[in-house]
Amino acid sequence: MLDVIAGNVFYEVAALLVLAAAGGFVGLLLRQPLIVSFIAVGILAGPSVLDIARSDEQIDLLAELGIALLLFLVGLKLDLNLVRTLGPVALMTGLGQVIFTTVFGFLIGLAVGLDPVTCLYVAIALTFSSTIIIVKLLSDKREIDSLHGRIALGFLIVQDLVVVLAMIVLSALGVGAAGDGALLDVLIVFGYGALMLVAVGLFVRFLANPLVERLSRAPELLVSFAIGWAALLAALGHYLGFGKELGGLLAGVSLASTPFREAIAARLASLRDFLLLFFFIALGASLDLSVLGASVGPALLFSLFVLVGNPLIVLVIMGAMGYRKRTGFLAGLTVAQISEFSLIFMAMGVTIGHVAGEAMGLVTLVGLITIAASTYMISYSHQIYDRIEPLLGIFERRTGKREDNAWEASAAYDAIVFGLGRYGSAIAHELSSAGQRVLGVDFNPVAIRHARTQDIDVVFGDATDPEFLAHLPLKGARWVISAVPEHDTGITHDDPRRSLMRALTDLNFTGRVAIAAHSEKIAQQVRQAGADLVLMPFRDAALQAAALILNESAPEPVAEVDPEGQKPLVA
């Protein structure tokens, strides 16, 4: 039966989809991240177990399309002004982590008895983090737009550039080129990159808006164009030598200024998730378990170094640059694994003859351990931070923090609004217009910048960070309002609304709390948690709309009458 499946591409894909669905369901029952489940499915379908995933070219093609779409969607939401703002920290953390991991990885290799050339290869391989896995996890947690998510994306781009340079040098050595030839290849790639940036800039300036506006008249054509554009620039990036990932990212950036980017992102999200399934399956299937036995001891040591050392150096660098320990910790966790490029890099070394197959097995096992472990670390990052937060104080500067904003902790505010999306910013604007002193809080730098244009005092922060809440001017505030968007947090981290209410209770907040909810179930939960007022935007808007249609005055929100007769939000 297995031979029949492996002999037909359609049968193979069908079997992989069934295995993925079954493996994902088992993982769901066991409350495990889907990425781990899908990699396990790849191992099960790979040569070490069932050996049904034999159509490598077809599976890799689907995986590469998924990678291009993932980075394309990230680029769609990438703010160029933010790139300029976060450029220094991305460069410092990216290069700092690469240098740290290379130096200490080399020393660890010598300590476990590897020869110097193998030590160098392994050390360089350990510096590469998986952009695909990190972006997928942060996207699932709705944290790709947070400050630590954007910083992580920045230093991942720096890492990708280092990957390109390492591959170019290795390729030059592989064909017997001299050092000058390798340097020339590097310069050529940088030249191609500069030309592509200029071309993308011209496209954004003159073609993007009119072209997308014309295509938007046929939504199906707009989707086809977006997929084709992402694939084209990914292919062009690969051809010019700087990788499909950066090409796909540039494709997204080129359309980020168009008014249809949200519609494109919404339509492509499901296709991205489907295609990325094949990436994780291909990653699992590429792990050859037969060569791993002799490398268990050194692999555990290298894995511990990657899982602890890489996040630690990012935390140190960001702390020295003035970022809070929470931001540094959450960003640092994203580099606690090695990449699929690490395996490709080692395979090139084996092909050239610089390293033996045992070194490939060593790095493969490190990849298996760190990818699985870091998936849990990123998924449970907030809980981990809460556990070890008292130990992280040494990594934070006491003055001059980059996340501090131009507001005085001693200032008095009538209301503090968490979540400055469309709903939260509208609440803040209306309260401010009514003469209330309002402080807005969000962890999305774009939302912060937009709120400032409305003359609202704002501060960057996370509603789930008790330490941050302790520094807010809660004393004297009559209302704390949470307009944080609702989404399925699953097992990744706690609901920010309940975290906020617990923290306010611990801080002995004496004012009142209003929480936005989008379902009666959530509304009931926050009522039980002690919310004084539950705002249900869709229900309240429907009641007001019906009243306007009936030419009546808008009714008060039902089931939210203040039993104590205290003042409403606006005095």
Side-chain angles (χ1 to χ4, degrees):
M1 180 63 180
L2 294 181
D3 290 336
V4 174
I5 293 176
N8 185 290
V9 176
F10 183 81
Y11 293 167
E12 285 185 36
V13 173
L16 290 175
L17 292 176
V18 172
L19 278 175
F25 181 69
V26 172
L28 185 65
L29 292 178
L30 298 176
R31 297 181 64 82
Q32 304 304 305
L34 280 179
I35 287 178
V36 174
S37 300
F38 291 154
I39 292 175
V41 168
I43 295 174
L44 184 64
S48 300
V49 187
L50 298 179
D51 194 24
I52 59 175
R54 299 180 184 176
S55 300
D56 295 336
E57 292 184 2
Q58 291 81 358
I59 294 173
D60 288 344
L61 173 61
L62 295 173
E64 289 169 357
L65 282 174
I67 292 170
L69 277 183
L70 175 66
L71 273 299
F72 171 77
L73 293 179
V74 171
L76 272 180
K77 297 185 178 182
L78 202 59
D79 189 303
L80 294 180
N81 292 324
L82 195 65
V83 171
R84 287 193 290 268
T85 302
L86 298 181
V89 66
L91 187 63
M92 290 297 294
T93 51
L95 293 180
Q97 182 264 318
V98 167
I99 295 171
F100 170 85
T101 306
T102 301
V103 172
F104 284 91
F106 182 83
L107 295 177
I108 293 173
L110 292 177
V112 298
L114 300 179
D115 65 85
V117 174
T118 302
C119 287
L120 182 60
Y121 266 85
V122 172
I124 294 175
L126 297 182
T127 65
F128 306 150
S129 301
S130 179
T131 303
I132 313 306
I133 292 176
I134 293 169
V135 170
K136 182 67 170 65
L137 286 170
L138 291 178
S139 298
D140 289 345
K141 293 180 66 179
R142 311 299 196 272
E143 292 182 3
I144 196 69
D145 288 326
S146 66
L147 181 62
H148 69 268
R150 290 173 181 266
I151 291 174
L153 180 62
F155 59 64
L156 287 171
I157 292 175
V158 173
Q159 278 191 4
D160 285 344
L161 292 175
V162 174
V163 171
V164 170
L165 296 179
M167 295 292 189
I168 291 171
V169 172
L170 193 59
S171 297
L173 294 175
V175 297
D180 292 340
L183 177 61
L184 180 61
D185 287 340
V186 171
L187 294 177
I188 289 174
V189 169
F190 271 102
Y192 284 147
L195 288 176
M196 192 166 180
L197 285 175
V198 171
V200 168
L202 293 174
F203 176 83
V204 172
R205 178 67 179 84
F206 297 106
L207 290 177
N209 279 328
L211 177 61
V212 174
E213 183 177 357
R214 179 66 62 90
L215 292 170
S216 67
R217 300 174 187 176
E220 297 83 357
L221 184 58
L222 181 62
V223 171
S224 299
F225 164 75
I227 297 172
W229 185 242
L232 174 62
L233 265 66
L236 188 59
H238 180 265
Y239 178 76
L240 296 179
F242 50 86
K244 303 181 186 71
E245 291 77 17
L246 293 181
L249 187 70
L250 281 177
V253 170
S254 69
L255 300 181
S257 61
T258 67
F260 302 96
R261 68 175 189 174
E262 296 298 336
I264 295 172
R267 287 178 175 269
L268 292 182
S270 297
L271 179 60
R272 171 205 64 193
D273 292 338
F274 171 74
L275 292 174
L276 280 178
L277 163 66
F278 293 95
F279 168 77
F280 297 117
I281 290 176
L283 182 60
S286 66
L287 300 177
D288 188 356
L289 304 184
S290 64
V291 299
L292 305 184
S295 306
V296 173
L300 290 175
L301 183 59
F302 279 118
S303 297
L304 184 63
F305 168 64
V306 171
L307 292 170
V308 177
N310 283 1
L312 185 63
I313 190 60
V314 171
L315 180 59
V316 169
I317 294 172
M318 290 185 62
M321 296 185 70
Y323 286 89
R324 294 185 183 276
K325 58 187 178 182
R326 181 183 178 88
T327 304
F329 178 80
L330 295 178
L333 283 188
T334 62
V335 294
Q337 85 288 114
I338 65 172
S339 168
E340 62 281 358
F341 287 114
S342 304
L343 306 181
I344 296 173
F345 182 78
M346 292 302 297
M348 292 178 67
V350 173
T351 301
I352 296 172
H354 289 170
V355 296
E358 289 77 9
M360 178 68 183
L362 170 63
V363 174
T364 298
L365 187 54
V366 173
L368 187 61
I369 295 171
T370 57
I371 289 172
S374 68
T375 298
Y376 291 99
M377 291 168 64
I378 297 173
S379 295
Y380 293 97
S381 58
H382 296 269
Q383 290 94 326
I384 296 173
Y385 176 81
D386 291 339
R387 296 273 186 175
I388 67 173
E389 182 268 336
L391 305 176
L392 302 179
I394 60 174
F395 299 109
E396 182 177 84
R397 285 165 53 180
R398 297 189 180 277
T399 58
K401 297 183 179 67
R402 286 177 178 259
E403 297 171 46
D404 287 343
N405 292 268
W407 59 281
E408 296 293 335
S410 59
Y413 291 95
D414 297 301
I416 300 176
V417 181
F418 288 86
L420 297 176
R422 287 179 295 181
Y423 186 59
S425 61
I427 291 176
H429 178 73
E430 290 300 320
L431 292 177
S432 181
S433 299
Q436 301 290 292
R437 292 161 297 177
V438 179
L439 176 66
V441 182
D442 205 298
F443 75 170
N444 186 341
V446 176
I448 291 288
R449 187 166 58 252
H450 175 70
R452 286 198 178 110
T453 64
Q454 298 181 325
D455 295 326
I456 297 172
D457 288 347
V458 291
V459 58
F460 174 89
D462 190 339
T464 64
D465 184 356
E467 180 190 3
F468 164 74
L469 295 175
H471 290 85
L472 286 178
L474 294 171
K475 185 177 180 180
R478 294 173 47 247
W479 283 95
V480 165
I481 305 157
S482 172
V484 177
E486 181 175 321
H487 59 81
D488 182 12
T489 56
I491 64 171
T492 56
H493 58 283
D494 196 9
D495 188 315
R497 292 160 296 202
R498 292 195 289 269
S499 296
L500 173 63
M501 296 188 66
R502 284 198 301 269
L504 291 174
T505 300
D506 294 339
L507 293 169
N508 298 315
F509 175 62
T510 58
R512 308 184 69 203
V513 181
I515 304 290
H518 294 272
S519 68
E520 186 57 42
K521 178 181 177 181
I522 297 298
Q524 185 62 30
Q525 289 177 353
V526 295
R527 287 191 192 100
Q528 293 174 353
D532 298 285
L533 179 67
V534 178
L535 306 171
M536 300 189 69
F538 297 117
R539 182 205 63 185
D540 298 342
L543 290 175
Q544 186 176 24
L548 292 173
I549 291 172
L550 296 173
N551 293 319
E552 298 176 0
S553 60
E556 294 293 329
V558 297
E560 297 301 341
V561 177
D562 182 0
E564 301 177 7
Q566 297 188 34
K567 294 180 181 180
L569 285 175
V570 180

